[in-house]
Amino acid sequence: MHTAADSWSTTTPELFERIRHAVEDGRPLAVATVVDVEAAAYRRPGGRMLIEPDGTTYGGITAGCLEGPLREVAGDVLESGAATVVTYDLTEDDGWGLGIGCNGVIDVLVEPVDGSWRRAVDAYANREACSLVTAVESTDPSIPIGARTTVGSHGSGSDDQPVDDRASLPPSIVDGVAARGRACAATGDVDRIRVPTEAGEVVLVVDGIEPPHRLVVFGSQPDVRPVTQLAARVGLRVTVATARGARATDDAFPAAERVLSVHPSELADVGLDGRTSVVIMSHNFVDDGLALEAALGSETPYIGLMGPRKRFEELRAALEEDGVELSADDRERIATPVGLDLGGGEPMEIALSIVSEVVAVGNGRDGGRLVDGTGPVHERRSVSRE
Amino acid sequence: MHTAADSWSTTTPELFERIRHAVEDGRPLAVATVVDVEAAAYRRPGGRMLIEPDGTTYGGITAGCLEGPLREVAGDVLESGAATVVTYDLTEDDGWGLGIGCNGVIDVLVEPVDGSWRRAVDAYANREACSLVTAVESTDPSIPIGARTTVGSHGSGSDDQPVDDRASLPPSIVDGVAARGRACAATGDVDRIRVPTEAGEVVLVVDGIEPPHRLVVFGSQPDVRPVTQLAARVGLRVTVATARGARATDDAFPAAERVLSVHPSELADVGLDGRTSVVIMSHNFVDDGLALEAALGSETPYIGLMGPRKRFEELRAALEEDGVELSADDRERIATPVGLDLGGGEPMEIALSIVSEVVAVGNGRDGGRLVDGTGPVHERRSVSRE
């Protein structure tokens, strides 16, 4: 696991790693999740932070406003074992102009890690999406705050087994939200649903949890390392695929989740699914061509290819000579020259350019300057209400 | 000094730090600098790498092709004390298709760190630009390869003092290239000039060395740390300016070059020159406004302001109420929402977005995907020939 030196900026894959350890070892750990916001807030719904019994935190859901108060709530939650939802009104006080600088109203679910997390951590480790469906408000005495079911991306929720240390949601409710659960799982979105029950009503938050985005880096020259390190640091799970057995050692790439030696034509075997990006950078014309062909035959939506346009045209011509024609769709998936236009030619600037593009495209963005755009900064995760 | 864990991707400020130590302590160290390329090569002229006597290298000028051969050359250079230029023809061999993957012809100047570096390292430390003007070819027996003068950004070169361990260029030659030296110093460009001499001719490389770009981060919340760490890692010299004495300790920000406590209205005092970018992220409306006003009154070409557009409009209105009108030029310098459009909302993704924009704008670029552009990848440094 790549450990962030700065715990506030701990990435989501690391947070899930910690949650998994807590589930497996029975260690006490609290999770604070943003479940609703009004107006602009620092993190969107789904933003998550962990709090250990001694107050150590990992991740951050505000820019310093709530970490303190949430430590206290987490302490209570770990003692009682009961989940709770806290609401903070952080609208700036412009009277004195000394507002703490956060904005909006934010609801945070604070809960202990317990058996209700097991399915989610297993799914995450298996690169499967799921949704945590959790009661955050309830006027029904039989359904406590924190009551939960987990819906798999292809599941119905009714296959979720009850656990000892957390209430389940009644099957009738689960059936009603299963479709929303699958939808949120597919996109990582967070929904909020008000559901009438037998004895009142509950508000459920459907928290879609996608598996971590993966980056496969094909190459074995020194420039693979800074790309790998930076990608891991920003939360990508990195596989280094080296050709022909070169440098295929874990300690050459400590930030990588996996280091494999593959024949480039078998690159798809490392697992190029719809949540995996590939960067081809062996600097060997033949190997890059074989890797490109293999990647095109997979589901990966992003294939970064290092080198100037001219080199790509030569690769393309070589492939065509071998009977491999690139369709327009193929061409759409290939990013060459790879990276965002940051200028600069130093190794770390090149790594920054590449990793920034991988992150942007993974989030459906184009990497241009936000000041030049018109849309909201945060678009990807939305809370729909009913 | 922020030390890169991966020595190949060592940043230029770190390379100059090492050169400075070698000059001051008289330690043996070789420098390999790209002085010419034909066709596409991995690094442009000015790309630099250091080699220690035991073969340890810092920085990289090719993606692994030449580091080995250059170690040998460096060993010889350190023994002889004489600079040399080596030419490598790396055009790919497509016959067998097993080309090492680099392209083009590349000339590399390999030299020992000696007294001829003193002015450059002093200038670099004082945030002054200069050019190293060095003979890389010579048919004049009185002018050896490596003969050098240093031209300051406002200097003539004739004020350069001779040193014991490196030949100087004759004053007449220096006068002829002083203007070019100043021009390259101003932009960091690299020029190549053929100059007839009394007894033959020399080819000079004018290697413009700009001081490192600086980033001032105004704020003291947890989100300052990942921005600081990432910015330092990509070669920016970071100053953390905290308001009102909060967290103004070096160990809170180990990656920062300086940590200062300033009143936001005095932010310009930390040194906001034309090679300094500012990111304002205190999350405090009043402090951010004062910092913005102070930054606008300085020369800094880039002022990143964290927060949504609406907040900026409110800040603007507040400034106008205080009689501070923002001109169109002012507005051009302000980047808000700050950062490139990468999507995502995690702390490291936000840091990536901000630092990527700072690098892009510092290099006169807009972010944006290179695949969508039309220009060459490397534009910033050019070699003009005559």
Side-chain angles (χ1 to χ4, degrees):
Chain A
M1 181 179 81
H2 178 80
T3 308
D6 167 44
S7 69
W8 184 80
S9 60
T10 304
T11 64
T12 293
E14 293 173 65
L15 295 181
F16 271 88
E17 192 78 354
R18 290 184 181 277
I19 295 172
R20 187 169 65 83
H21 283 310
V23 170
E24 288 176 356
D25 306 343
R27 269 187 253 157
L29 182 66
V31 185
T33 308
V34 177
V35 291
D36 197 13
V37 296
E38 286 180 21
Y42 196 74
R43 296 292 303 277
R44 304 307 294 167
R48 221 171 308 271
M49 176 177 146
L50 307 181
I51 310 103
E52 291 180 337
D54 67 354
T56 304
T57 62
Y58 300 93
I61 60 182
T62 67
C65 306
L66 294 180
E67 276 71 13
L70 282 168
R71 276 191 186 91
E72 295 202 33
V73 175
D76 296 341
V77 161
L78 287 175
E79 254 195 62
S80 69
T84 186
V85 175
V86 277
T87 298
Y88 296 98
D89 185 338
L90 304 173
T91 311
E92 279 186 294
D93 171 19
D94 282 353
W96 282 104
L98 292 175
I100 43 178
C102 299
N103 214 348
V105 181
I106 179 172
D107 288 352
V108 183
L109 167 68
V110 187
E111 59 177 301
V113 170
D114 56 26
S116 76
W117 279 91
R118 183 167 290 281
R119 279 195 67 203
V121 300
D122 285 347
Y124 199 85
N126 293 329
R127 296 188 62 69
E128 293 162 7
C130 72
S131 284
L132 291 173
V133 184
T134 314
V136 294
E137 280 180 43
S138 175
T139 60
D140 183 325
S142 69
I143 304 175
I145 303 281
R148 164 173 293 156
T149 190
T150 306
V151 178
S153 50
H154 302 292
S156 60
S158 54
D159 54 340
D160 196 14
Q161 299 302 316
V163 298
D164 292 338
D165 40 12
R166 183 74 70 98
S168 305
L169 290 173
S172 52
I173 288 183
V174 170
D175 291 342
V177 303
R180 193 73 67 88
R182 290 191 296 273
C184 285
T187 59
D189 281 341
V190 179
D191 266 3
R192 189 182 174 87
I193 318 172
R194 189 172 294 274
V195 179
T197 71
E198 290 209 9
E201 70 171 17
V202 292
V203 174
L204 304 175
V205 166
V206 183
D207 183 4
I209 297 171
E210 286 191 280
H213 201 90
R214 192 160 57 189
L215 173 64
V216 172
V217 183
F218 175 72
S220 47
Q221 297 304 329
D223 51 352
V224 166
R225 277 183 60 126
V227 172
T228 297
Q229 286 181 347
L230 182 58
R233 186 64 188 89
V234 302
L236 295 162
R237 298 275 216 195
V238 184
T239 294
V240 174
T242 68
R244 309 180 196 285
R247 298 180 190 251
T249 56
D250 287 358
D251 51 2
F253 304 102
E257 180 189 36
R258 299 182 301 169
V259 180
L260 308 168
S261 177
V262 295
H263 192 280
S265 60
E266 289 163 2
L267 184 61
D269 290 357
V270 312
L272 303 183
D273 59 22
R275 290 189 174 98
T276 301
S277 302
V278 183
V279 172
I280 295 171
M281 51 188 294
S282 76
H283 296 276
N284 180 294
F285 189 87
V286 170
D287 284 355
D288 277 6
L290 292 171
L292 175 60
E293 195 180 340
L296 285 168
S298 80
E299 285 180 31
T300 181
Y302 173 94
I303 304 166
L305 177 64
M306 186 176 271
R309 283 184 187 84
K310 181 159 168 280
R311 186 174 186 266
F312 170 60
E313 292 309 323
E314 291 168 358
L315 268 170
R316 190 176 196 167
L319 286 172
E320 280 171 11
E321 276 171 35
D322 287 348
V324 179
E325 292 273 340
L326 297 193
S327 67
D329 283 345
D330 291 335
R331 189 61 187 86
E332 273 295 302
R333 296 161 67 195
I334 299 168
T336 191
V338 64
L340 298 184
D341 189 8
L342 307 185
E346 294 204 15
M348 277 308 303
E349 291 176 311
I350 293 171
L352 188 70
S353 163
I354 292 172
V355 173
S356 294
E357 183 179 55
V358 170
V359 171
V361 174
N363 287 325
R365 304 303 179 96
D366 271 348
R369 298 187 62 189
L370 283 167
V371 65
D372 294 335
T374 48
V377 179
H378 296 284
E379 247 178 56
R380 179 160 171 71
R381 296 187 135 201
S382 57
V383 178
S384 54
R385 301 172 151 279
E386 85 183 53
Chain B
M1 180 179 79
H2 177 82
T3 308
D6 168 43
S7 69
W8 183 81
S9 59
T10 303
T11 64
T12 293
E14 293 174 65
L15 295 180
F16 270 88
E17 192 78 355
R18 289 183 181 277
I19 294 171
R20 187 169 65 83
H21 285 308
V23 170
E24 289 177 355
D25 306 344
R27 270 187 251 158
L29 183 67
V31 186
T33 307
V34 177
V35 291
D36 197 15
V37 296
E38 285 180 24
Y42 196 74
R43 296 294 302 279
R44 303 308 294 168
R48 221 173 307 274
M49 177 175 143
L50 308 181
I51 310 101
E52 292 180 335
D54 68 355
T56 304
T57 62
Y58 299 94
I61 60 181
T62 67
C65 308
L66 295 179
E67 276 72 14
L70 282 168
R71 276 189 184 93
E72 295 201 35
V73 175
D76 297 340
V77 160
L78 287 174
E79 253 193 63
S80 69
T84 185
V85 175
V86 278
T87 298
Y88 296 99
D89 186 334
L90 302 175
T91 311
E92 279 188 292
D93 171 19
D94 281 354
W96 283 104
L98 292 175
I100 43 175
C102 298
N103 213 350
V105 181
I106 179 172
D107 289 352
V108 184
L109 168 67
V110 188
E111 59 178 300
V113 170
D114 57 26
S116 75
W117 279 91
R118 184 169 288 283
R119 277 196 68 202
V121 299
D122 286 348
Y124 199 85
N126 293 329
R127 294 190 63 68
E128 292 162 7
C130 71
S131 284
L132 291 174
V133 184
T134 314
V136 294
E137 281 180 42
S138 176
T139 60
D140 183 325
S142 70
I143 303 177
I145 304 280
R148 166 172 291 158
T149 189
T150 307
V151 178
S153 50
H154 302 290
S156 60
S158 54
D159 54 339
D160 197 16
Q161 298 303 318
V163 297
D164 291 339
D165 42 12
R166 182 75 70 100
S168 304
L169 291 171
S172 51
I173 289 183
V174 170
D175 291 341
V177 303
R180 192 75 67 87
R182 289 191 298 273
C184 285
T187 59
D189 282 342
V190 179
D191 264 4
R192 188 180 173 90
I193 319 172
R194 189 170 296 270
V195 178
T197 70
E198 288 207 11
E201 72 172 15
V202 291
V203 174
L204 304 174
V205 167
V206 183
D207 183 3
I209 297 171
E210 286 192 282
H213 201 91
R214 192 161 57 188
L215 173 64
V216 173
V217 183
F218 175 72
S220 48
Q221 298 304 328
D223 51 352
V224 166
R225 277 181 60 126
V227 172
T228 297
Q229 286 179 348
L230 182 59
R233 184 64 188 90
V234 302
L236 295 161
R237 299 274 217 196
V238 184
T239 295
V240 174
T242 68
R244 308 179 195 289
R247 297 182 191 249
T249 56
D250 287 357
D251 51 2
F253 304 103
E257 181 188 36
R258 297 183 301 169
V259 180
L260 309 167
S261 176
V262 293
H263 192 278
S265 60
E266 290 162 1
L267 185 61
D269 291 355
V270 311
L272 303 184
D273 61 22
R275 290 190 174 98
T276 300
S277 302
V278 182
V279 173
I280 294 171
M281 52 188 291
S282 77
H283 296 275
N284 181 294
F285 189 86
V286 168
D287 284 355
D288 278 3
L290 293 170
L292 175 61
E293 194 179 341
L296 284 167
S298 79
E299 285 180 30
T300 180
Y302 174 94
I303 304 166
L305 177 63
M306 186 177 271
R309 283 181 189 85
K310 180 158 167 282
R311 186 173 186 268
F312 170 61
E313 292 308 323
E314 292 167 359
L315 269 170
R316 190 176 196 167
L319 287 171
E320 281 172 10
E321 276 171 35
D322 288 346
V324 179
E325 292 273 340
L326 298 193
S327 68
D329 282 345
D330 290 333
R331 189 61 186 86
E332 272 295 304
R333 296 161 66 195
I334 299 169
T336 191
V338 63
L340 298 184
D341 189 10
L342 307 185
E346 294 203 15
M348 277 308 303
E349 292 176 311
I350 292 170
L352 188 69
S353 162
I354 293 171
V355 174
S356 294
E357 184 179 56
V358 170
V359 171
V361 175
N363 287 326
R365 305 303 179 98
D366 269 350
R369 300 186 62 190
L370 283 168
V371 65
D372 294 336
T374 48
V377 179
H378 297 284
E379 248 178 56
R380 179 159 172 69
R381 296 184 136 205
S382 56
V383 177
S384 54
R385 301 171 150 278
E386 84 181 53

